[in-house]
Amino acid sequence: MISSFTRNLISRRRALQLGAAGLATMTITPKFAKAADELNCLVWCDHTHARLLDPFAEKHGVTINVKEYEGTGTAYSLVEQSQPGDWDVFVIDSVDVPGAVEKGLLAELPEAEMPWDDIFPELRQPQLHFKDGKLYAMPEKFGYNSIAFNNTRVAAEDVATAAVMWNPKYSGRIAIYNYYIPTMEMVALGLGIRPDTITQMSLPAIREKLLEMKKLASVVGDVVTTQNALLTGAADILVAGGEYTVAGMMVEKPELDWTLPKEGGIRWGQAIGVFADSAKKDLATEFVKYILSPQGQGALATADCYWAMPANAKAELDDSQKKQLRWDQQPGFIANSHPYFIPDADLDAAMLDVWTEVLGA
Amino acid sequence: MKTLSLKSWGHLPALAWTAAFFVLPLIAMLLMSLSERIEGRITLTWTFANYQAFLTKAEGTFVGALINSVEVTLLTTVLSVLVAYPLAYILAYRIPRQWQRLVLVLTVLPFWTSYVIRSYSWLLVLSENGIINQSLLELGLLSEPVGMGNSRFATVLGFVHFFAMLLTLTIYANLVQIKESYRKAAADLGANSLQTFWHVTLPLSLPGVAVGAFLTFVLAIGDYITPQILGGSKELLLPQAVMLQLGRQADFPLASALSMVLMLVVTAAFLLSARHLKMGRV
């Protein structure tokens, strides 16, 4: 989901990463690799705050170095330009775990030591996290690309259906999240197409609907831009938004809300594993177990960077946090959501072409 | 001979710097643009397919993005010059010398703010809840707020705010180098203020304008942040199209080809303005 989560927030830095990834890696990773009491983690931005990291670091007397990335492609570039053993822990989208396993990046995890019984059953997805019966990554956090909205300006009955994404009543009040895969999958849901059945044949209908939506939209942007649009009144509806865009702000801005329409939403998930080349696999595995513990899950779910649902149903969340995450509604939401579908390379390229055309329209 | 030898060696650091941080990366990007992704791996196949994709892919969207980029950049450059020149002129000739440095610092103060923060600040200012809309509503000049953010107007405004400062510096540096005796001589010969400006000051300050305008053009056409934050993706600019190729698919060959096209445009701009680019004058 969050492939483009911080796309623009830190895009200057990202441009530097992409343009000079080798240089950056050379200057950063050797420092990490040499220290025995350090754990080097390649993560999404929600794994970088002290509230999450400090308890583990203090308990084990280690320094945790985190390097955040914002797209699996970038993560692979960083790994490829590092020395074997530089990295210990890898947080990665669940859908990209098989690819990482295929590349030999992930080590086997001790399945018996993981809290499988506490993980929401729908997130276990053995086809993603296991290969040949061996566990390579644990689901740790999930959420939805669905609809975020201003509940004082958008009628509850309107957001109950996916058609709100192209409802002319909200012309000029709609923001569209600019990551093409979940947004196009949301549009597909609204058109009655299950995301995992999207083919090249489905794209013309999705394209037509996106072009229609673009005319109604006030902004097409990254998470921060679309959040800003909701906050400043430039938009009242965020297509492909969800808890990750508004849950962290709902105490201060109770009018910002999120839901799944009756057609459902797209469920994204991220996973955590240990690098195959890590020289500190035991420590890294302990870190994985800590992240999956109720304490770690509570801190991860309410991360400063973005909130989302913990994979562990026993996560430590207070009542307010549960309310913001719509915790009580999770069984229904999970049942009514579709796992994030990653197209094959050809379909992915075709989807990007459509998206590029829509942006240029 | 000794002097000549030292002079020759003196160029080496600059040459090495240019080779390491411009020529080599440029060659790497060129080679990348002639490569293909085959089964997830990038292979140099000496293909022009990526340049062909620039022309034909996504219904010609990339060509449209280039046109948008050039339009926005030219608009930005012209407006920035129009804003910066009077400011630099006042700074150089109307502000007492002892106050010039202070005023210059105040003028460039916004440079000290983060580029990203400044862009988001503009978005807040231009928003429907922002100060402009609220003021106009209070004054009764508007009956309902007007969305000014997330548009080409907002992008150009954000650019001009930034680049007018840069241009002010280059034009000011040029203006203060023009000898006062030239303007006095023009006055002695009967020229009024306007004629002196038109026939003496303006022509002599053109190198500063050209350098600033060229820098503005180069920086604006390749900028990703401002259009991304302020433009709201209402239109696609080429740097945004480049980033689209990198985000998920890591399609470096196509992104490199698009970047090389941008490089060609910058080169053309350089050739067009090279006659006026006299760095020694700024």
Side-chain angles (χ1 to χ4, degrees):
Chain A
M1 92 112 197
I2 319 240
S3 253
S4 59
F5 189 83
T6 52
R7 180 170 292 168
N8 305 310
L9 178 66
I10 54 168
S11 50
R12 190 170 288 277
R13 181 171 49 190
R14 187 163 94 125
L16 287 170
Q17 285 171 345
L18 292 170
L23 183 64
T25 310
M26 277 191 292
T27 56
I28 292 167
T29 53
K31 181 180 69 179
F32 289 1
K34 287 175 185 166
D37 55 351
E38 295 185 0
L39 199 62
N40 302 318
C41 307
L42 191 55
V43 297
W44 289 114
C45 65
D46 57 342
H47 288 67
T48 57
H49 62 293
R51 190 162 45 88
L52 174 68
L53 302 178
D54 283 357
F56 182 84
E58 285 164 14
K59 182 179 175 186
H60 293 269
V62 295
T63 299
I64 302 174
N65 301 309
V66 287
K67 172 75 179 166
E68 51 178 286
Y69 69 91
E70 57 294 315
T72 304
T74 310
Y76 287 160
S77 296
L78 287 167
V79 172
E80 283 166 12
Q81 291 165 56
S82 305
Q83 295 297 314
D86 279 351
W87 301 105
D88 302 304
V89 174
F90 195 13
V91 171
I92 182 172
D93 276 356
S94 287
V95 289
D96 290 324
V97 170
V101 173
E102 196 68 35
K103 287 174 181 282
L105 292 180
L106 293 173
E108 184 182 356
L109 289 174
E111 185 183 347
E113 296 176 30
M114 299 296 157
W116 277 110
D117 292 344
D118 299 331
I119 302 292
F120 285 105
E122 292 84 352
L123 305 183
R124 294 176 188 170
Q125 296 173 288
Q127 75 279 14
L128 297 180
H129 304 109
F130 286 81
K131 186 182 180 189
D132 299 331
K134 294 176 181 174
L135 173 67
Y136 286 95
M138 281 295 293
E140 55 152 27
K141 191 171 179 178
F142 72 103
Y144 308 95
N145 290 107
S146 54
I147 305 289
F149 63 102
N150 183 321
N151 60 26
T152 63
R153 297 188 185 175
V154 182
E157 60 269 26
D158 288 342
V159 288
T161 69
V164 74
M165 296 188 290
W166 48 80
N167 188 337
K169 180 177 164 187
Y170 298 104
S171 177
R173 325 289 313 164
I174 300 172
I176 302 174
Y177 178 37
N178 72 353
Y179 186 27
Y180 63 100
I181 292 183
T183 299
M184 291 174 79
E185 290 182 3
M186 268 307 288
V187 172
L189 273 180
L191 292 171
I193 304 167
R194 227 178 54 207
D196 61 351
T197 64
I198 293 175
T199 63
Q200 305 250 8
M201 303 289 283
S202 324
L203 295 185
I206 295 172
R207 173 185 169 276
E208 286 307 308
K209 192 51 82 178
L210 280 168
L211 288 169
E212 185 184 328
M213 290 166 64
K214 176 89 185 290
K215 288 178 186 157
L216 301 175
S218 59
V219 57
V220 182
D222 60 280
V223 173
V224 179
T225 302
T226 49
Q227 272 178 328
N228 207 37
L230 284 175
L231 280 167
T232 60
D236 295 329
I237 294 167
L238 170 53
V239 173
E243 79 298 322
Y244 69 95
T245 48
V246 295
M249 301 187 287
M250 284 168 71
V251 169
E252 292 167 3
K253 295 277 181 185
E255 69 273 23
L256 299 186
D257 211 337
W258 67 279
T259 191
L260 263 66
K262 69 176 173 20
E263 292 86 348
I266 307 301
R267 193 173 69 240
W268 56 267
Q270 58 193 50
I272 185 167
V274 172
F275 274 97
D277 289 330
S278 169
K280 299 163 214 162
K281 287 196 181 70
D282 290 344
L283 184 62
T285 303
E286 285 304 310
F287 184 73
V288 170
K289 285 156 69 175
Y290 162 71
I291 291 291
L292 293 166
S293 69
Q295 180 193 9
Q297 287 280 281
L300 180 63
T302 57
D304 297 343
C305 186
Y306 59 93
W307 285 38
M309 252 55 70
N312 187 328
K314 291 182 179 170
E316 289 176 1
L317 297 168
D318 63 31
D319 290 344
S320 171
Q321 291 166 340
K322 285 180 177 175
K323 187 180 172 193
Q324 286 162 265
L325 288 170
R326 292 180 176 269
W327 191 241
D328 294 341
Q329 292 173 268
Q330 287 313 301
F333 280 3
I334 291 174
N336 192 30
S337 58
H338 299 262
Y340 200 95
F341 167 65
I342 287 294
D344 62 33
D346 289 342
L347 182 56
D348 195 334
M351 289 172 75
L352 180 57
D353 280 354
V354 168
W355 185 250
T356 305
E357 190 187 338
V358 169
L359 288 183
Chain B
M1 281 303 288
K2 196 175 179 183
T3 309
L4 184 67
S5 173
L6 274 175
K7 219 172 182 179
S8 305
W9 282 103
H11 291 142
L12 274 183
L15 283 173
W17 180 271
T18 306
F21 297 108
F22 179 71
V23 177
L24 288 178
L26 191 65
I27 291 171
M29 196 160 74
L30 177 65
L31 294 177
M32 184 65 84
S33 74
L34 300 172
S35 303
E36 277 181 290
R37 284 189 314 158
I38 300 172
E39 293 179 355
R41 294 190 178 279
I42 293 171
T43 310
L44 179 59
T45 55
W46 304 101
T47 177
F48 284 95
N50 296 308
Y51 291 94
Q52 193 178 356
F54 163 72
L55 295 171
T56 59
K57 207 172 181 192
E59 307 286 328
T61 302
F62 294 137
V63 176
L66 175 62
I67 293 169
N68 288 338
S69 287
V70 172
E71 283 177 3
V72 167
T73 304
L74 286 176
L75 197 56
T76 297
T77 306
V78 170
L79 289 175
S80 298
V81 170
L82 291 177
V83 170
Y85 200 101
L87 193 57
Y89 188 90
I90 291 168
L91 261 172
Y93 299 138
R94 293 288 182 265
I95 303 288
R97 190 166 290 276
Q98 69 268 27
W99 294 106
Q100 282 187 3
R101 284 193 178 182
L102 177 64
V103 177
L104 197 63
V105 168
L106 291 175
T107 306
V108 299
L109 211 54
F111 262 130
W112 298 0
T113 314
S114 153
Y115 196 51
V116 174
I117 289 173
R118 198 165 48 240
S119 296
Y120 276 114
S121 301
W122 268 118
L123 202 54
L124 291 174
V125 169
L126 297 172
S127 73
E128 297 189 7
N129 298 330
I131 188 168
I132 295 176
N133 265 304
Q134 292 307 312
S135 302
L136 294 174
L137 285 169
E138 287 291 324
L139 292 170
L141 297 172
L142 284 180
S143 55
E144 55 183 50
V146 176
M148 289 178 281
N150 303 310
S151 62
R152 177 180 281 197
F153 165 75
T155 300
V156 172
L157 184 64
F159 272 145
V160 170
H161 179 213
F162 183 77
F163 291 117
M165 291 182 282
L166 178 74
L167 270 154
T168 302
L169 286 178
T170 61
I171 297 170
Y172 168 82
N174 197 157
L175 287 173
V176 293
Q177 286 186 51
I178 300 172
K179 290 179 180 170
E180 198 178 351
S181 56
Y182 293 174
R183 286 181 291 130
K184 282 184 177 171
D188 286 347
L189 292 169
N192 61 28
S193 302
L194 192 61
Q195 287 170 323
T196 303
F197 171 74
W198 190 252
H199 294 291
V200 177
T201 310
L202 183 61
L204 288 174
S205 63
L206 280 182
V209 174
V211 169
F214 178 68
L215 286 175
T216 299
F217 188 91
V218 171
L219 294 171
I221 202 164
D223 190 281
Y224 169 77
I225 293 177
T226 301
Q228 188 70 14
I229 295 175
L230 289 171
S233 294
K234 284 294 186 66
E235 60 183 353
L236 190 67
L237 304 189
L238 204 53
Q240 293 171 293
V242 172
M243 290 302 287
L244 269 177
Q245 309 315 311
L246 298 176
R248 166 164 179 74
Q249 300 203 350
D251 191 347
F252 285 92
L254 180 54
S256 298
L258 300 180
S259 301
M260 288 304 294
V261 170
L262 265 182
M263 196 70 199
L264 283 176
V265 174
V266 170
T267 305
F270 173 78
L271 293 174
L272 286 172
S273 57
R275 196 160 62 93
H276 297 289
L277 291 176
K278 295 169 184 167
M279 297 301 288
R281 298 292 298 275
V282 294

